[in-house]
């Protein structure tokens, strides 16, 4: 529901008041959808919109979209209990709205202290696969002279 202070700010502008009610309704629907999902997955639901009787759910990735599809019957039931007439759910991946950029493995670097520690460890190991792996790691992260 809209807060009284928000309604005072809107004043007599009917168009703005209508828009505020729509936003409030969508926030309520989003809360109901998130309530059905596991807590770790709920934060991946970014928004909702209506297209007829179909609810479009913006999600952050394909894993979240898959989970929403799996839980569609429970989401629809929760919405109907909440008084919303929804007959279908359509998750939409919204990559542009993701809040964090994934770090590529090529962007990861060992600090100098870690390189020294791995070098000392490698010197104390017998020849074998573990020593080869540490040597490979050190070669990968050795400072590049350019």
């Amino acid at each position: 529901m809209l807060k009284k202070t928000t309604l005072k700010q809107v004043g007599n502008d009917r168009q703005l008041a209508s828009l505020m009610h729509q936003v409030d309704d969508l926030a309520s629907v989003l809360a109901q959808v998130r309530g059905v999902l596991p807590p770790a997955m709920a934060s991946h639901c970014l928004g909702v919109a209506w297209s007829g009787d179909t609810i479009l759910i913006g999600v952050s990735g394909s894993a979240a979209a898959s989970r929403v599809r799996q839980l569609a019957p429970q989401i629809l039931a929760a919405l109907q209990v909440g008084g919303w007439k929804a007959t279908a759910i359509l998750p939409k991946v919204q990559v542009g709205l993701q809040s964090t950029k994934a770090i590529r493995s090529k962007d990861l670097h060992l600090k100098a202290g870690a390189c020294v520690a791995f070098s000392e460890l490698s010197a104390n190991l017998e020849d074998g696969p573990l020593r080869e792996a540490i040597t490979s790691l050190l070669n990968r992260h050795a400072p590049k002279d350019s």
Side-chain angles (χ1 to χ4, degrees), residues 43-66:
S43 64
H44 294 279
C45 280
L46 307 173
V48 294
W50 290 98
S51 177
D53 288 346
T54 301
I55 183 166
L56 308 172
I57 302 175
V59 294
S60 63
S62 58
S66 178

Side-chain angles (χ1 to χ4, degrees), residues 127-141:
D127 286 338
L130 180 58
R131 186 173 186 172
E132 291 172 12
I134 292 173
T135 302
S136 174
L137 176 75
L138 288 170
N139 290 337
R140 160 84 172 80
H141 290 278

